[in-house]
Amino acid sequence: MPDEKKVIPKKKQLDPRELTTCEATAMMLAKARKDGVELAFDRAQNMKPCPIGADSACCKHCFMGPCRLNAKDPYAKTGVCGATIDTIMSRNFARAVAAGCSAHTDHGMAMLDLFREVLEGHIKDYEIKNVQKLLYVAKEMDIETKDREIKDIAMDLYKELERTYTQVDGEIPFVKRVPEKTLETWRKEGIVPRGAMREIMELMHRSAIGVDQHYANITKQCSRVALADGWGGSMVATEIADILFGTPSPVAIEVNMGVLKEDQVNIIVHGHEPNLFESMVASVAEPTLIQAAKDAGAKGLNLVGMCCSGLEMFSRHGTPHAGNFMSTETILVTGAVDAMVVDVQCIKQALAQVAECYKTQLITTNPRARIEGGKHIEFHEDKPKDCTDEIVIQAIGRFKNRGVEVEIPQIVNTGVHGFSHEYINYMLGGTFRASYTPLNDNIINGRIRGVAGVVGCNNPRMKQDYVHVELVKELIKNDVLVVQTGCSQIALAKAGLTTPEAAHLAGPGLKEVCETVGMPPVLGLGACVDNSRILIACAEMVKTGGLGESIADLPVAGCAPEYMSEKAITIGQYFVASGVFTVFGVTFPITEGTKFHKHLFEELEDLGMGKWGFATDPFEIARMMIAHIDKKRKALGIDKARERVLMDMADRRDMDAA
Ligand code: XCC
Ligand code: SF4
């Protein structure tokens, strides 16, 4: 039974099924209520979002304020310094972009540190697993590879990629991947990133009191910072993870809370750093530790993932995945989790309290991120197993005297995930002619109407998973191929849409392509940093030809329908700056009817980029995305082809029926 003092007073409580479409989460939410344990779902009901903040109409950038304006009459007042609503909103937006970029680039830089230490021989527990990928990236970066030692090539690549972060002038290395016309637009606008550190520094400076006070100019630096994430920090994180740990390829994995095993020691890793998780994989395979678990009466060690690091791991190791962001508290309610191990990003502080209620060990591992009430076992890359072995020992200790009742929702779904852009290439093109030509051809001939990225978090202000799932269903029904990263793909996996069998839910054109290739209509590409894989895929589509000259010409659109993180805003901004129409759900930190709103939601498109959109209803979002895709098809002159191919297919069906 949970600790008495944690029992919460009865406040407003909605039926769990109104809060989530995830059956397991609903079950555990109901149990938490019975146990008197408060979760983020409850807090969201009892804490209305601050209405002034929701409109981004307040400023606390100096201590003459904080100042707040009236979103209903946005130009009636200014701040004490005279800052207008547009300045205030764009500065708030800038700070979110800077924070999100910092998260991804700090993570990417940590991966690069690891890479360097491996190369210099200071770290011996990791190695280069994927030489082919190393050579491929090195060649792209114009590094000589012929007749050279792998180590030397790798060191040159390290030095080259380090510029992504530290360079003070020039252009970041991965602009080499950007289609020429897109890059031309960036150069014209002055938004090609130099190095992430410099760009973030400048944005923090410009968004301080009394510096940049033109919303359009602030937006430029927002784009520059965001691009330093998408084509910089995140892309480096993805590429280095592939080089060190292997490029993912599709595997069938188990998802949902049923992956926990009552008779095993259950260890959840929840966070964003693959190196910790890789070492956990090694520790749970350690014969002495397996024996220790058996001696404690367990059948074995059961390692599962949650959120983004889970997404990176399942495609490399087939590690099961227990759920997305809004399930991280509820899963502790099962009582079956012996240790929850976290590193950085998206870790709710309340996990410490919920863990305490259910006697789970909450273990922090990264020096950047500690939680009051959690146990800290620091992870050091030069001796990773010191930390992860100890975690296993702690988990076994908790298994031995769980002291709480265990109730695991017996729900397990299967999804096929791990589609790198390299694999998409191969899957559609075949080994001998790996290319994007078949994808482009199928878009041009209209079988595939376009491609949509549906990504990002859960947010307890929306019914968990509902918008992700309904939106994606609507898109594939309309022949739009969906690619995914982040927590979104777990929503779709739980709904059974990430298997090849889900092709029957697709429109006739997409269905035919999926059935021919044997692929799902919804492709999971990995963690949030792996949004870079979507950028690369877009760049490849442009380079392959037939779909215009810049990313802005492609019949593609993006969406984060249940986002909650500042990181999502950064991702949204780099997709917009790259040329993609990007729709966000839940809420948008902006006041409508202002110049800054018009700038983000209309004017950026006129500058050759994409633009933002906002809607909360999945069907409305789908309508907006499809309308955009159709607009681009028309501009490319391929709108008629689609009508023809659909007519053909109807004829064929009639013939089959006759
Ligand atoms: Fe976090 Fe990455 Fe959002 Fe999920 S999707 S809630 S950012 S874990 Ni990235
Ligand atoms: Fe107010 Fe201007 Fe200071 Fe912001 S920067 S808190 S608007 S005085």
Side-chain angles (χ1 to χ4, degrees):
M1 263 292 105
D3 219 330
E4 280 305 309
K5 63 180 186 297
K6 298 288 183 283
V7 171
I8 44 146
K10 274 226 168 333
K11 291 188 207 150
K12 188 172 150 198
Q13 288 192 333
L14 286 176
D15 178 346
R17 278 176 183 73
E18 289 179 45
L19 297 171
T20 177
T21 58
C22 171
E23 183 61 26
T25 303
M27 285 165 74
M28 289 303 105
L29 184 50
K31 178 169 184 292
R33 297 239 169 111
K34 212 173 68 212
D35 297 344
V37 174
E38 187 191 62
L39 304 176
F41 287 108
D42 306 306
R43 288 187 295 274
Q45 295 309 309
N46 293 309
M47 159 106 51
K48 283 264 151 289
C50 164
I52 306 158
D55 291 325
S56 198
C58 55
C59 177
K60 53 182 173 64
H61 290 201
C62 91
F63 303 93
M64 296 188 278
C67 301
R68 53 183 201 195
L69 307 192
N70 179 3
K72 300 223 161 54
D73 192 1
Y75 292 103
K77 279 202 284 191
T78 67
V80 174
C81 67
T84 62
I85 185 80
D86 295 303
T87 300
I88 289 173
M89 290 187 299
S90 55
R91 283 195 305 217
N92 291 340
F93 191 78
R95 290 285 165 101
V97 170
C101 178
S102 300
H104 290 141
T105 51
D106 193 33
H107 163 57
M109 197 158 187
M111 295 299 297
L112 207 55
D113 286 340
L114 173 64
F115 185 51
R116 181 194 61 236
E117 294 297 290
V118 168
L119 295 177
E120 288 180 345
H122 302 143
I123 291 178
K124 298 192 179 4
D125 288 72
Y126 306 95
E127 58 182 5
I128 294 177
K129 279 224 183 89
N130 190 347
V131 174
Q132 213 187 341
K133 176 98 191 208
L134 170 75
L135 295 176
Y136 166 78
V137 183
K139 274 190 201 135
E140 264 191 307
M141 296 299 107
D142 297 322
I143 291 167
E144 184 58 60
T145 56
K146 219 171 141 242
D147 303 326
R148 292 187 70 204
E149 294 271 342
I150 294 299
K151 224 184 120 187
D152 296 336
I153 299 170
M155 209 42 177
D156 282 355
L157 182 63
Y158 167 78
K159 286 185 196 136
E160 177 69 9
L161 295 185
E162 198 197 50
R163 295 203 288 118
T164 305
Y165 306 95
T166 56
Q167 181 171 265
V168 293
D169 206 7
E171 298 180 339
I172 53 168
F174 280 134
V175 296
K176 290 208 177 89
R177 290 178 166 176
V178 180
E180 219 171 291
K181 203 167 154 217
T182 302
L183 188 55
E184 219 174 84
T185 304
W186 295 358
R187 286 187 177 138
K188 203 173 83 220
E189 284 298 300
I191 59 170
V192 186
R194 292 161 292 182
M197 289 173 169
R198 173 121 215 207
E199 302 309 352
I200 293 166
M201 192 197 307
E202 189 176 313
L203 188 56
M204 292 305 281
H205 176 198
R206 281 165 67 166
S207 54
I209 158 86
V211 189
D212 200 351
Q213 291 163 94
H214 195 300
Y215 64 94
N217 206 42
I218 295 172
T219 306
K220 274 192 192 180
Q221 188 60 14
C222 290
S223 296
R224 209 173 188 189
V225 167
L227 292 172
D229 176 350
W231 297 87
S234 283
M235 201 173 274
V236 169
T238 298
E239 301 301 57
I240 296 295
D242 282 1
I243 290 169
L244 288 177
F245 306 129
T247 304
S249 58
V251 285
I253 52 116
E254 294 188 330
V255 291
N256 218 326
M257 292 195 195
V259 301
L260 295 177
K261 303 280 174 268
E262 178 154 11
D263 53 4
Q264 297 198 26
V265 179
N266 293 303
I267 304 173
I268 292 181
V269 182
H270 154 33
H272 283 79
E273 307 242 293
N275 37 358
L276 168 74
F277 213 144
E278 289 283 341
S279 182
M280 284 299 314
V281 170
S283 287
V284 299
E286 199 61 63
T288 54
L289 291 173
I290 295 171
Q291 192 52 49
K294 290 195 172 142
D295 294 345
K299 283 233 172 76
L301 297 167
N302 185 33
L303 180 66
V304 307
M306 288 193 94
C307 289
C308 276
S309 45
L311 293 167
E312 282 203 42
M313 295 310 289
F314 63 30
S315 47
R316 294 197 181 103
H317 296 279
T319 317
H321 199 289
N324 53 13
F325 179 69
M326 277 314 289
S327 302
T328 55
E329 287 175 323
T330 39
I331 199 156
L332 300 180
V333 179
T334 61
V337 183
D338 297 301
M340 179 178 265
V341 187
V342 299
D343 46 43
V344 289
Q345 299 179 20
C346 301
I347 300 139
K348 298 189 195 81
Q349 184 165 357
L351 287 177
Q353 219 193 345
V354 183
E356 199 190 330
C357 291
Y358 294 95
K359 301 194 164 52
T360 292
Q361 302 261 21
L362 180 76
I363 301 171
T364 56
T365 54
N366 193 296
R368 294 171 181 82
R370 291 198 187 201
I371 298 179
E372 261 186 309
K375 176 176 273 177
H376 190 74
I377 304 177
E378 197 152 303
F379 180 76
H380 298 281
E381 277 134 347
D382 54 343
K383 35 183 184 357
K385 286 190 70 228
D386 285 7
C387 166
T388 51
D389 286 357
E390 178 58 27
I391 289 168
V392 175
I393 291 164
Q394 295 279 334
I396 293 171
R398 190 288 186 168
F399 176 88
K400 255 195 282 194
N401 36 51
R402 278 182 172 164
V404 290
E405 57 169 336
V406 170
E407 184 186 328
I408 301 170
Q410 294 304 323
I411 305 171
V412 179
N413 313 101
T414 307
V416 178
H417 297 246
F419 293 87
S420 58
H421 77 93
E422 288 94 332
Y423 194 85
I424 294 175
N425 220 348
Y426 158 78
M427 170 173 74
L428 289 164
T431 332
F432 299 109
R433 49 182 190 99
S435 83
Y436 274 77
T437 310
L439 175 63
N440 280 24
D441 284 351
N442 277 308
I443 292 173
I444 293 165
N445 71 29
R447 281 192 173 77
I448 297 177
R449 189 177 200 151
V451 183
V454 179
V455 306
C457 329
N458 293 134
N459 185 320
R461 307 251 171 239
M462 307 302 287
K463 192 193 253 184
Q464 182 191 10
D465 296 344
Y466 167 76
V467 195
H468 289 296
V469 174
E470 294 310 318
L471 168 61
V472 170
K473 277 193 194 157
E474 196 62 18
L475 289 169
I476 63 171
K477 201 167 86 190
N478 284 286
D479 291 316
V480 176
L481 175 67
V482 173
V483 293
Q484 294 211 281
T485 62
C487 288
S488 182
Q489 73 191 284
I490 294 305
L492 273 299
K494 288 186 289 185
L497 264 86
T498 59
T499 60
E501 292 72 44
H504 76 274
L505 295 168
L510 178 60
K511 178 169 175 251
E512 189 178 320
V513 175
C514 289
E515 283 173 348
T516 311
V517 181
M519 72 177 193
V522 181
L523 306 176
L525 267 64
C528 286
V529 288
D530 297 318
N531 275 310
S532 55
R533 298 190 201 275
I534 300 181
L535 293 177
I536 297 169
C538 287
E540 289 298 324
M541 284 164 72
V542 174
K543 287 176 199 162
T544 299
L547 292 174
E549 290 172 37
S550 77
I551 294 177
D553 295 334
L554 294 172
V556 302
C559 181
E562 300 181 22
Y563 86 105
M564 62 85 198
S565 170
E566 289 171 312
K567 293 179 283 168
I569 293 278
T570 317
I571 293 169
Q573 186 64 23
Y574 72 62
F575 272 106
V576 167
S578 298
V580 180
F581 174 51
T582 304
V583 187
F584 267 35
V586 193
T587 182
F588 203 93
I590 204 161
T591 297
E592 281 185 39
T594 54
K595 287 185 267 182
F596 181 55
H597 185 277
K598 187 162 192 259
H599 193 59
L600 293 190
F601 285 70
E602 291 172 37
E603 290 165 0
L604 290 180
E605 191 175 44
D606 305 331
L607 298 171
M609 296 183 231
K611 64 176 177 185
W612 284 91
F614 172 71
T616 53
D617 174 69
F619 304 100
E620 172 62 8
I621 299 173
R623 192 198 57 71
M624 289 163 73
M625 294 170 81
I626 292 167
H628 177 82
I629 285 170
D630 285 349
K631 182 175 94 179
K632 293 293 168 184
R633 294 189 65 88
K634 192 153 191 227
L636 290 165
I638 56 173
D639 49 329
K640 295 280 176 306
R642 184 171 151 76
E643 286 159 25
R644 271 198 305 279
V645 71
L646 291 180
M647 217 143 59
D648 270 9
M649 282 191 280
D651 286 352
R652 243 182 299 155
R653 265 198 309 277
D654 290 348
M655 273 161 63
D656 286 350

